[in-house]
Amino acid sequence: MKVYVSLPITGFPLNIVKKRAEQYKKELQADGYEVITPFDVCNEPNRSYAHYMGEDIKALLECDAIYLAPGWHGSKGCTAEYEVARVYDKTIII
């Protein structure tokens, strides 16, 4: 099963968020999942928020499930990704 990791990014130091994403990725891979994070999708610097969200949504749609990391409720991006996953009947892992 291919899983997209959704985690809060905006407002946090990028290096810390990248470490968290890698940690979630390793944990999910240990459980047998194929995992993709937002940083796997698009690591182009200085692009618009809309560009990053568009790439993330495209990647999510190619996955079977979404993993919602702690704090996702407070993130507009994570909430949007959750709604896309819900509408497209993706498995939701919290």
Side-chain angles (χ1 to χ4, degrees):
M1 178 181 287
K2 190 172 182 181
V3 178
Y4 175 83
V5 173
S6 177
L7 73 164
I9 297 173
T10 302
F12 295 96
L14 201 53
N15 63 327
I16 292 173
V17 178
K18 285 182 178 182
K19 286 180 186 176
R20 286 183 188 151
E22 283 304 309
Q23 177 185 347
Y24 299 136
K25 184 176 186 174
K26 287 178 185 176
E27 291 171 4
L28 290 163
Q29 285 174 331
D31 289 337
Y33 295 107
E34 179 183 350
V35 183
I36 188 162
T37 76
F39 301 106
D40 298 325
V41 173
C42 183
N43 60 6
E44 302 169 62
N46 304 317
R47 298 300 301 254
S48 69
Y49 180 80
H51 175 81
Y52 293 126
M53 282 302 300
E55 295 300 311
D56 293 344
I57 296 299
K58 283 194 274 185
L60 169 59
L61 289 173
E62 294 177 0
C63 292
D64 305 299
I66 185 171
Y67 170 75
L68 296 164
W72 74 272
H73 282 100
S75 166
K76 289 179 183 178
C78 292
T79 301
E81 291 165 349
Y82 164 78
E83 289 298 333
V84 169
R86 186 184 61 76
V87 166
Y88 286 92
D89 294 318
K90 305 294 182 179
T91 299
I92 297 172
I93 304 167
I94 297 177

